[in-house]
Amino acid sequence: MDNVLIAGAGPAGLNAALTLGRARRRVVLLDAGPGRNATSDAVHNFLSRDGITPSELRQIGLDQLSAYPSVRVVEGQAVQAKGERDDFTVTLADGSTHRARRLLLATGVHDELPPIDGLAERWGRGVLHCPYCHGFEHRDQPLAVLETSGWGVHLAVHLRRFSDDVVLCTGGGAPPSAEQQALLAERGIAVRPEPIERLEGPGASLERIVFAGGATLARRALFVHPETRQRSDLPAQLGCRMLEDGAVAVDDLGQTSVPGVLAAGDMARRPAMPLSGSQAVIAAADGLLAAVLIDQELLYAAHP
């Protein structure tokens, strides 16, 4: 039996495997392939890696694990998990199984994108989600925000520092409140209430938003804060406590409500945090914290 099973080889899973490998723990890292940020141009806010592509960052992480013989990377999708503290079993899509004393979930989330023609094809390029990740690259450009989950006004105000030309699109939904409209007007942010019919532009770039009725709005980027769902149902299978937004509830070190099961990265959130930290460097830090907790627990286990 191995010490730790890690489901997911994004920044959280990779950093956890690295930390545990350096601690000489027997680790199996289950790699189901590229994750949520695969379509993005670059990873930002990651010290020494600012501007690197997600695929490059992922490959560096995998390559660095080869220096630690106690870490095995197994390609495959984890589809079932069961067990209890000190004896967990994970089954992969090909029917193979792996057992370990601790289980770290780092399977990530899936973005529920609005069903607008041309939006999904531009996700991570012309359609973006995070000003901290992409605002600087789109400074001084005409920008738009699509209201989808109650964060549109906040996102538009946030982007106003990067551009003098920001437009909030309600997509035919409820208009901003009177208080929000006053704030938008004060910041010079226009509001377009029409439903959006499609996005246009070469390749994954955005050139214009086409509204129902045919009116257009020239924009270089559209920011959206979509709803998310768990990429895997492993947390539900194991009985992990979930928060109202679907994130797995964890404590400050990544422990879930199930003893011996930890979670890290976008899929998990501390209840005190209003949003999950959807950035690679935060996910990597979460992975390290979870790995340290696991290692410290195993120091005193009967069969470490």
Side-chain angles (χ1 to χ4, degrees):
M1 184 184 297
D2 290 296
N3 295 135
V4 188
L5 277 169
I6 302 174
L14 286 167
N15 211 34
L18 179 67
T19 303
L20 290 164
R22 292 181 55 78
R24 305 188 75 180
R25 295 297 183 187
R26 298 184 305 279
V27 177
V28 174
L29 175 64
L30 304 176
D31 180 7
R36 180 186 185 189
N37 67 350
T39 61
S40 182
D41 278 328
V43 173
H44 291 289
N45 306 311
F46 203 131
L47 186 64
S48 83
R49 291 291 183 265
D50 190 57
I52 194 172
T53 66
S55 61
E56 289 176 313
L57 181 63
R58 171 178 152 80
Q59 191 58 54
I60 289 171
L62 288 169
D63 290 345
Q64 290 185 340
L65 292 181
S66 64
Y68 304 99
S70 65
V71 177
R72 290 186 293 135
V73 179
V74 176
E75 294 184 3
Q77 179 77 43
V79 296
Q80 186 181 59
K82 61 182 181 179
E84 57 186 14
R85 185 187 179 97
D86 290 324
D87 190 2
F88 292 100
T89 299
V90 171
T91 303
L92 304 189
D94 63 5
S96 61
T97 61
H98 298 272
R99 292 176 64 204
R101 301 189 181 282
R102 295 293 185 273
L103 176 58
L104 173 57
L105 303 176
T107 47
V109 296
H110 177 77
D111 293 297
E112 299 282 8
L113 300 177
I116 295 173
D117 186 25
L119 190 148
E121 298 89 326
R122 292 172 173 80
W123 184 237
R125 303 296 177 94
V127 181
L128 307 161
H129 81 291
C130 174
Y132 290 111
C133 302
H134 305 288
F136 187 81
E137 282 66 40
H138 291 83
R139 63 194 182 278
D140 304 321
Q141 297 177 5
L143 306 176
V145 173
L146 176 59
E147 173 61 87
T148 58
S149 57
W151 288 90
V153 171
H154 175 79
L155 191 52
V157 171
H158 195 165
L159 286 167
R160 188 60 178 76
R161 80 182 72 180
F162 295 103
S163 172
D164 292 335
D165 186 359
V166 177
V167 173
L168 173 66
C169 301
T170 65
S177 67
E179 182 180 358
Q180 290 174 327
Q181 290 183 37
L183 173 62
L184 293 168
E186 176 188 333
R187 300 299 174 91
I189 299 170
V191 178
R192 295 293 297 260
E194 312 99 307
I196 295 176
E197 184 173 288
R198 65 183 182 275
L199 306 181
E200 294 182 343
S205 299
L206 178 64
E207 281 192 348
R208 69 188 66 84
I209 298 171
V210 181
F211 297 99
T216 64
L217 177 67
R219 297 288 98 172
R220 293 294 301 277
L222 174 67
F223 282 76
V224 181
H225 191 285
E227 301 285 354
T228 61
R229 61 173 171 81
Q230 290 290 328
R231 196 177 181 190
S232 168
D233 64 354
L234 296 184
Q237 291 180 28
L238 291 160
C240 297
R241 185 169 76 87
M242 314 294 284
L243 299 175
E244 289 184 2
D245 61 358
V248 178
V250 295
D251 66 16
D252 287 343
L253 295 178
Q255 175 66 56
T256 72
S257 61
V258 179
V261 177
L262 294 91
D266 294 353
M267 66 177 295
R269 180 166 67 81
R270 300 163 184 81
M273 293 180 62
L275 291 172
S276 63
S278 300
Q279 295 198 35
V281 68
I282 295 177
D286 284 349
L288 183 146
L289 288 172
V292 169
L293 177 61
I294 290 170
D295 181 65
Q296 291 294 309
E297 284 188 348
L298 292 176
L299 284 176
Y300 298 98
H303 302 284

